[in-house]
Amino acid sequence: MTQAILEHVNFTVPEADRTAHWLCDVFGWRIRWQGAARNGGRSIHVGTDDDYLVVFTPKEGVAPNTQGKDVVGAMNHIGVVVEDLDAVEARVKAQGFQTHNHADYEPGRRFYFDDENGIEFEVVSYA
């Protein structure tokens, strides 16, 4: 049996274009595809040739997530591996996001930030 590979994660945001653009700016990704999605919504695939995030905005708009992270099925954070942690942190801050929970333990250095949608990202470097 071959090992499975995670290809993408799809999550809902109020403004897919806005989120896609800062993802490209911060992580050096590109927009792989964009267009119509389920029920008249819009999806943008942002990432590399091998893996990506889908940011989806429904046609009817979104309601804020009031469930929190301690419920079954909640997404706690998205982990992204980078080569130059300091350079990425500078780009995160340039987008206006506050970084927190800086740590340096095996196997790498990391920090976290919450985007404008309340989605937490863990950025880690194993360099």
PDB file of all heavy atoms in Angstrom, residues 4 8 11 14 20-21 29 31 45-46 52-53 65-66 73-74 81 84 88 93 95 102-103 114 117 120 127:
ATOM      1  N   ALA A   4      -0.499   7.793   1.701  1.00  0.00           N
ATOM      2  CA  ALA A   4      -1.381   8.871   1.254  1.00  0.00           C
ATOM      3  C   ALA A   4      -0.692  10.218   1.419  1.00  0.00           C
ATOM      4  O   ALA A   4       0.151  10.396   2.292  1.00  0.00           O
ATOM      5  CB  ALA A   4      -2.678   8.859   2.054  1.00  0.00           C
ATOM      6  N   HIS A   8      -5.040  19.037  -0.267  1.00  0.00           N
ATOM      7  CA  HIS A   8      -5.547  20.380   0.010  1.00  0.00           C
ATOM      8  C   HIS A   8      -6.453  20.398   1.229  1.00  0.00           C
ATOM      9  O   HIS A   8      -6.931  19.367   1.684  1.00  0.00           O
ATOM     10  CB  HIS A   8      -6.279  20.952  -1.212  1.00  0.00           C
ATOM     11  CG  HIS A   8      -7.619  20.358  -1.464  1.00  0.00           C
ATOM     12  ND1 HIS A   8      -7.803  19.226  -2.232  1.00  0.00           N
ATOM     13  CD2 HIS A   8      -8.866  20.740  -1.061  1.00  0.00           C
ATOM     14  CE1 HIS A   8      -9.093  18.938  -2.293  1.00  0.00           C
ATOM     15  NE2 HIS A   8      -9.750  19.841  -1.581  1.00  0.00           N
ATOM     16  N   PHE A  11     -11.455  25.864   3.226  1.00  0.00           N
ATOM     17  CA  PHE A  11     -12.141  26.540   4.319  1.00  0.00           C
ATOM     18  C   PHE A  11     -12.854  27.786   3.808  1.00  0.00           C
ATOM     19  O   PHE A  11     -12.550  28.310   2.740  1.00  0.00           O
ATOM     20  CB  PHE A  11     -11.201  26.856   5.489  1.00  0.00           C
ATOM     21  CG  PHE A  11      -9.961  27.624   5.132  1.00  0.00           C
ATOM     22  CD1 PHE A  11      -9.915  28.996   5.242  1.00  0.00           C
ATOM     23  CD2 PHE A  11      -8.824  26.958   4.709  1.00  0.00           C
ATOM     24  CE1 PHE A  11      -8.767  29.704   4.936  1.00  0.00           C
ATOM     25  CE2 PHE A  11      -7.667  27.659   4.398  1.00  0.00           C
ATOM     26  CZ  PHE A  11      -7.639  29.028   4.513  1.00  0.00           C
ATOM     27  N   PRO A  14     -14.867  35.228   4.327  1.00  0.00           N
ATOM     28  CA  PRO A  14     -15.798  36.213   3.772  1.00  0.00           C
ATOM     29  C   PRO A  14     -15.356  36.810   2.444  1.00  0.00           C
ATOM     30  O   PRO A  14     -16.190  37.194   1.632  1.00  0.00           O
ATOM     31  CB  PRO A  14     -15.896  37.295   4.840  1.00  0.00           C
ATOM     32  CG  PRO A  14     -14.958  36.942   5.918  1.00  0.00           C
ATOM     33  CD  PRO A  14     -14.317  35.632   5.597  1.00  0.00           C
ATOM     34  N   ALA A  20      -6.720  35.059  -0.499  1.00  0.00           N
ATOM     35  CA  ALA A  20      -5.811  34.446  -1.476  1.00  0.00           C
ATOM     36  C   ALA A  20      -4.602  35.336  -1.736  1.00  0.00           C
ATOM     37  O   ALA A  20      -3.467  34.849  -1.816  1.00  0.00           O
ATOM     38  CB  ALA A  20      -6.547  34.172  -2.781  1.00  0.00           C
ATOM     39  N   HIS A  21      -4.826  36.631  -1.830  1.00  0.00           N
ATOM     40  CA  HIS A  21      -3.715  37.536  -2.134  1.00  0.00           C
ATOM     41  C   HIS A  21      -2.695  37.608  -1.001  1.00  0.00           C
ATOM     42  O   HIS A  21      -1.494  37.591  -1.250  1.00  0.00           O
ATOM     43  CB  HIS A  21      -4.230  38.914  -2.545  1.00  0.00           C
ATOM     44  CG  HIS A  21      -4.845  38.895  -3.905  1.00  0.00           C
ATOM     45  ND1 HIS A  21      -4.120  38.719  -5.057  1.00  0.00           N
ATOM     46  CD2 HIS A  21      -6.138  38.980  -4.295  1.00  0.00           C
ATOM     47  CE1 HIS A  21      -4.928  38.704  -6.096  1.00  0.00           C
ATOM     48  NE2 HIS A  21      -6.165  38.859  -5.658  1.00  0.00           N
ATOM     49  N   TRP A  29       3.241  31.682  -2.527  1.00  0.00           N
ATOM     50  CA  TRP A  29       2.426  30.751  -3.308  1.00  0.00           C
ATOM     51  C   TRP A  29       1.851  31.463  -4.515  1.00  0.00           C
ATOM     52  O   TRP A  29       2.056  32.658  -4.714  1.00  0.00           O
ATOM     53  CB  TRP A  29       1.300  30.190  -2.450  1.00  0.00           C
ATOM     54  CG  TRP A  29       1.760  29.284  -1.345  1.00  0.00           C
ATOM     55  CD1 TRP A  29       2.935  28.599  -1.281  1.00  0.00           C
ATOM     56  CD2 TRP A  29       1.053  28.983  -0.145  1.00  0.00           C
ATOM     57  NE1 TRP A  29       2.983  27.871  -0.121  1.00  0.00           N
ATOM     58  CE2 TRP A  29       1.852  28.089   0.599  1.00  0.00           C
ATOM     59  CE3 TRP A  29      -0.179  29.363   0.373  1.00  0.00           C
ATOM     60  CZ2 TRP A  29       1.446  27.570   1.826  1.00  0.00           C
ATOM     61  CZ3 TRP A  29      -0.572  28.851   1.601  1.00  0.00           C
ATOM     62  CH2 TRP A  29       0.227  27.967   2.310  1.00  0.00           C
ATOM     63  N   ILE A  31      -1.812  31.541  -7.238  1.00  0.00           N
ATOM     64  CA  ILE A  31      -3.190  31.108  -7.463  1.00  0.00           C
ATOM     65  C   ILE A  31      -3.164  30.063  -8.571  1.00  0.00           C
ATOM     66  O   ILE A  31      -2.752  30.355  -9.691  1.00  0.00           O
ATOM     67  CB  ILE A  31      -4.101  32.297  -7.815  1.00  0.00           C
ATOM     68  CG1 ILE A  31      -4.196  33.228  -6.598  1.00  0.00           C
ATOM     69  CG2 ILE A  31      -5.476  31.814  -8.266  1.00  0.00           C
ATOM     70  CD1 ILE A  31      -4.987  34.493  -6.830  1.00  0.00           C
ATOM     71  N   HIS A  45      -7.892  28.382  -5.403  1.00  0.00           N
ATOM     72  CA  HIS A  45      -6.884  27.415  -4.977  1.00  0.00           C
ATOM     73  C   HIS A  45      -5.538  28.138  -4.928  1.00  0.00           C
ATOM     74  O   HIS A  45      -5.065  28.633  -5.950  1.00  0.00           O
ATOM     75  CB  HIS A  45      -6.807  26.248  -5.956  1.00  0.00           C
ATOM     76  CG  HIS A  45      -8.070  25.450  -6.037  1.00  0.00           C
ATOM     77  ND1 HIS A  45      -8.129  24.247  -6.700  1.00  0.00           N
ATOM     78  CD2 HIS A  45      -9.321  25.662  -5.547  1.00  0.00           C
ATOM     79  CE1 HIS A  45      -9.348  23.753  -6.614  1.00  0.00           C
ATOM     80  NE2 HIS A  45     -10.093  24.600  -5.924  1.00  0.00           N
ATOM     81  N   VAL A  46      -4.925  28.174  -3.746  1.00  0.00           N
ATOM     82  CA  VAL A  46      -3.690  28.910  -3.527  1.00  0.00           C
ATOM     83  C   VAL A  46      -2.633  27.948  -2.991  1.00  0.00           C
ATOM     84  O   VAL A  46      -2.861  27.277  -1.991  1.00  0.00           O
ATOM     85  CB  VAL A  46      -3.891  30.043  -2.501  1.00  0.00           C
ATOM     86  CG1 VAL A  46      -2.617  30.848  -2.333  1.00  0.00           C
ATOM     87  CG2 VAL A  46      -5.038  30.938  -2.894  1.00  0.00           C
ATOM     88  N   TYR A  52      -2.179  22.675  -1.772  1.00  0.00           N
ATOM     89  CA  TYR A  52      -2.768  24.013  -1.775  1.00  0.00           C
ATOM     90  C   TYR A  52      -3.855  24.146  -0.722  1.00  0.00           C
ATOM     91  O   TYR A  52      -4.314  23.162  -0.145  1.00  0.00           O
ATOM     92  CB  TYR A  52      -3.323  24.353  -3.159  1.00  0.00           C
ATOM     93  CG  TYR A  52      -4.364  23.386  -3.684  1.00  0.00           C
ATOM     94  CD1 TYR A  52      -5.720  23.671  -3.589  1.00  0.00           C
ATOM     95  CD2 TYR A  52      -3.994  22.192  -4.289  1.00  0.00           C
ATOM     96  CE1 TYR A  52      -6.682  22.796  -4.078  1.00  0.00           C
ATOM     97  CE2 TYR A  52      -4.946  21.312  -4.791  1.00  0.00           C
ATOM     98  CZ  TYR A  52      -6.282  21.619  -4.682  1.00  0.00           C
ATOM     99  OH  TYR A  52      -7.233  20.753  -5.166  1.00  0.00           O
ATOM    100  N   LEU A  53      -4.253  25.380  -0.490  1.00  0.00           N
ATOM    101  CA  LEU A  53      -5.418  25.709   0.313  1.00  0.00           C
ATOM    102  C   LEU A  53      -6.496  26.219  -0.621  1.00  0.00           C
ATOM    103  O   LEU A  53      -6.203  26.913  -1.594  1.00  0.00           O
ATOM    104  CB  LEU A  53      -5.090  26.793   1.337  1.00  0.00           C
ATOM    105  CG  LEU A  53      -4.040  26.462   2.386  1.00  0.00           C
ATOM    106  CD1 LEU A  53      -3.783  27.680   3.285  1.00  0.00           C
ATOM    107  CD2 LEU A  53      -4.469  25.275   3.218  1.00  0.00           C
ATOM    108  N   ASN A  65     -17.816  32.316  12.883  1.00  0.00           N
ATOM    109  CA  ASN A  65     -17.686  31.034  13.569  1.00  0.00           C
ATOM    110  C   ASN A  65     -17.761  31.290  15.065  1.00  0.00           C
ATOM    111  O   ASN A  65     -16.920  31.964  15.628  1.00  0.00           O
ATOM    112  CB  ASN A  65     -16.356  30.371  13.207  1.00  0.00           C
ATOM    113  CG  ASN A  65     -16.179  29.037  13.888  1.00  0.00           C
ATOM    114  OD1 ASN A  65     -16.960  28.642  14.732  1.00  0.00           O
ATOM    115  ND2 ASN A  65     -15.137  28.331  13.503  1.00  0.00           N
ATOM    116  N   THR A  66     -18.773  30.739  15.692  1.00  0.00           N
ATOM    117  CA  THR A  66     -18.935  30.922  17.137  1.00  0.00           C
ATOM    118  C   THR A  66     -18.686  29.630  17.904  1.00  0.00           C
ATOM    119  O   THR A  66     -18.918  29.575  19.100  1.00  0.00           O
ATOM    120  CB  THR A  66     -20.357  31.430  17.447  1.00  0.00           C
ATOM    121  OG1 THR A  66     -21.305  30.481  16.934  1.00  0.00           O
ATOM    122  CG2 THR A  66     -20.605  32.789  16.820  1.00  0.00           C
ATOM    123  N   GLY A  73     -14.633  18.453  15.302  1.00  0.00           N
ATOM    124  CA  GLY A  73     -14.597  18.916  13.924  1.00  0.00           C
ATOM    125  C   GLY A  73     -13.994  20.293  13.728  1.00  0.00           C
ATOM    126  O   GLY A  73     -13.844  20.743  12.599  1.00  0.00           O
ATOM    127  N   ALA A  74     -13.641  20.970  14.815  1.00  0.00           N
ATOM    128  CA  ALA A  74     -13.070  22.307  14.693  1.00  0.00           C
ATOM    129  C   ALA A  74     -11.668  22.230  14.085  1.00  0.00           C
ATOM    130  O   ALA A  74     -10.925  21.290  14.329  1.00  0.00           O
ATOM    131  CB  ALA A  74     -12.994  22.988  16.053  1.00  0.00           C
ATOM    132  N   VAL A  81       5.288  24.974   6.542  1.00  0.00           N
ATOM    133  CA  VAL A  81       6.738  24.879   6.688  1.00  0.00           C
ATOM    134  C   VAL A  81       7.387  25.877   5.733  1.00  0.00           C
ATOM    135  O   VAL A  81       7.036  25.932   4.551  1.00  0.00           O
ATOM    136  CB  VAL A  81       7.239  23.452   6.369  1.00  0.00           C
ATOM    137  CG1 VAL A  81       8.763  23.378   6.446  1.00  0.00           C
ATOM    138  CG2 VAL A  81       6.609  22.441   7.317  1.00  0.00           C
ATOM    139  N   ASP A  84      12.828  30.320   5.604  1.00  0.00           N
ATOM    140  CA  ASP A  84      13.316  31.497   6.325  1.00  0.00           C
ATOM    141  C   ASP A  84      12.206  32.041   7.226  1.00  0.00           C
ATOM    142  O   ASP A  84      11.380  32.860   6.806  1.00  0.00           O
ATOM    143  CB  ASP A  84      13.775  32.557   5.321  1.00  0.00           C
ATOM    144  CG  ASP A  84      14.472  33.732   5.979  1.00  0.00           C
ATOM    145  OD1 ASP A  84      14.263  33.974   7.190  1.00  0.00           O
ATOM    146  OD2 ASP A  84      15.237  34.421   5.271  1.00  0.00           O
ATOM    147  N   VAL A  88       9.493  35.339   6.683  1.00  0.00           N
ATOM    148  CA  VAL A  88       8.048  35.126   6.627  1.00  0.00           C
ATOM    149  C   VAL A  88       7.355  35.891   7.750  1.00  0.00           C
ATOM    150  O   VAL A  88       6.307  36.505   7.537  1.00  0.00           O
ATOM    151  CB  VAL A  88       7.699  33.623   6.662  1.00  0.00           C
ATOM    152  CG1 VAL A  88       6.195  33.404   6.796  1.00  0.00           C
ATOM    153  CG2 VAL A  88       8.224  32.932   5.404  1.00  0.00           C
ATOM    154  N   LYS A  93       3.751  40.276   9.526  1.00  0.00           N
ATOM    155  CA  LYS A  93       3.547  41.553  10.219  1.00  0.00           C
ATOM    156  C   LYS A  93       3.218  42.681   9.244  1.00  0.00           C
ATOM    157  O   LYS A  93       2.424  43.565   9.565  1.00  0.00           O
ATOM    158  CB  LYS A  93       4.776  41.898  11.047  1.00  0.00           C
ATOM    159  CG  LYS A  93       4.944  40.998  12.268  1.00  0.00           C
ATOM    160  CD  LYS A  93       6.200  41.345  13.040  1.00  0.00           C
ATOM    161  CE  LYS A  93       6.328  40.522  14.300  1.00  0.00           C
ATOM    162  NZ  LYS A  93       7.564  40.842  15.042  1.00  0.00           N
ATOM    163  N   GLN A  95       1.437  42.451   6.722  1.00  0.00           N
ATOM    164  CA  GLN A  95       0.015  42.310   6.405  1.00  0.00           C
ATOM    165  C   GLN A  95      -0.873  42.824   7.539  1.00  0.00           C
ATOM    166  O   GLN A  95      -2.085  42.863   7.411  1.00  0.00           O
ATOM    167  CB  GLN A  95      -0.331  40.842   6.124  1.00  0.00           C
ATOM    168  CG  GLN A  95       0.269  40.292   4.858  1.00  0.00           C
ATOM    169  CD  GLN A  95      -0.335  40.919   3.619  1.00  0.00           C
ATOM    170  OE1 GLN A  95      -1.518  41.245   3.571  1.00  0.00           O
ATOM    171  NE2 GLN A  95       0.487  41.099   2.605  1.00  0.00           N
ATOM    172  N   HIS A 102       5.919  32.209  19.998  1.00  0.00           N
ATOM    173  CA  HIS A 102       7.215  31.879  19.402  1.00  0.00           C
ATOM    174  C   HIS A 102       7.857  30.773  20.227  1.00  0.00           C
ATOM    175  O   HIS A 102       7.840  30.826  21.457  1.00  0.00           O
ATOM    176  CB  HIS A 102       8.120  33.105  19.377  1.00  0.00           C
ATOM    177  CG  HIS A 102       7.620  34.181  18.477  1.00  0.00           C
ATOM    178  ND1 HIS A 102       6.566  35.003  18.817  1.00  0.00           N
ATOM    179  CD2 HIS A 102       8.019  34.566  17.258  1.00  0.00           C
ATOM    180  CE1 HIS A 102       6.346  35.854  17.836  1.00  0.00           C
ATOM    181  NE2 HIS A 102       7.221  35.616  16.869  1.00  0.00           N
ATOM    182  N   ALA A 103       8.414  29.783  19.550  1.00  0.00           N
ATOM    183  CA  ALA A 103       9.056  28.679  20.265  1.00  0.00           C
ATOM    184  C   ALA A 103      10.205  28.129  19.431  1.00  0.00           C
ATOM    185  O   ALA A 103      10.196  28.213  18.199  1.00  0.00           O
ATOM    186  CB  ALA A 103       8.049  27.572  20.562  1.00  0.00           C
ATOM    187  N   ASP A 114      -2.969  34.756  13.845  1.00  0.00           N
ATOM    188  CA  ASP A 114      -4.367  34.627  13.443  1.00  0.00           C
ATOM    189  C   ASP A 114      -4.622  35.610  12.319  1.00  0.00           C
ATOM    190  O   ASP A 114      -4.247  36.779  12.417  1.00  0.00           O
ATOM    191  CB  ASP A 114      -5.308  34.942  14.604  1.00  0.00           C
ATOM    192  CG  ASP A 114      -5.157  33.972  15.765  1.00  0.00           C
ATOM    193  OD1 ASP A 114      -4.693  32.837  15.544  1.00  0.00           O
ATOM    194  OD2 ASP A 114      -5.510  34.350  16.891  1.00  0.00           O
ATOM    195  N   ASN A 117      -9.692  36.361   9.496  1.00  0.00           N
ATOM    196  CA  ASN A 117     -10.870  35.503   9.621  1.00  0.00           C
ATOM    197  C   ASN A 117     -10.885  34.723  10.927  1.00  0.00           C
ATOM    198  O   ASN A 117     -11.780  33.923  11.153  1.00  0.00           O
ATOM    199  CB  ASN A 117     -10.914  34.519   8.449  1.00  0.00           C
ATOM    200  CG  ASN A 117     -10.843  35.232   7.127  1.00  0.00           C
ATOM    201  OD1 ASN A 117     -11.686  36.059   6.818  1.00  0.00           O
ATOM    202  ND2 ASN A 117      -9.822  34.946   6.353  1.00  0.00           N
ATOM    203  N   GLU A 120      -6.069  30.380  12.690  1.00  0.00           N
ATOM    204  CA  GLU A 120      -4.719  30.391  13.220  1.00  0.00           C
ATOM    205  C   GLU A 120      -3.790  29.607  12.299  1.00  0.00           C
ATOM    206  O   GLU A 120      -4.122  28.524  11.816  1.00  0.00           O
ATOM    207  CB  GLU A 120      -4.693  29.762  14.606  1.00  0.00           C
ATOM    208  CG  GLU A 120      -3.324  29.832  15.258  1.00  0.00           C
ATOM    209  CD  GLU A 120      -3.325  29.274  16.662  1.00  0.00           C
ATOM    210  OE1 GLU A 120      -3.570  28.065  16.833  1.00  0.00           O
ATOM    211  OE2 GLU A 120      -3.110  30.078  17.597  1.00  0.00           O
ATOM    212  N   ALA A 127      14.962  24.441   9.241  1.00  0.00           N
ATOM    213  CA  ALA A 127      16.317  24.745   8.739  1.00  0.00           C
ATOM    214  C   ALA A 127      17.306  24.852   9.884  1.00  0.00           C
ATOM    215  O   ALA A 127      16.989  25.262  10.973  1.00  0.00           O
ATOM    216  CB  ALA A 127      16.290  26.055   7.948  1.00  0.00           C
TER     217      ALA A 127
END
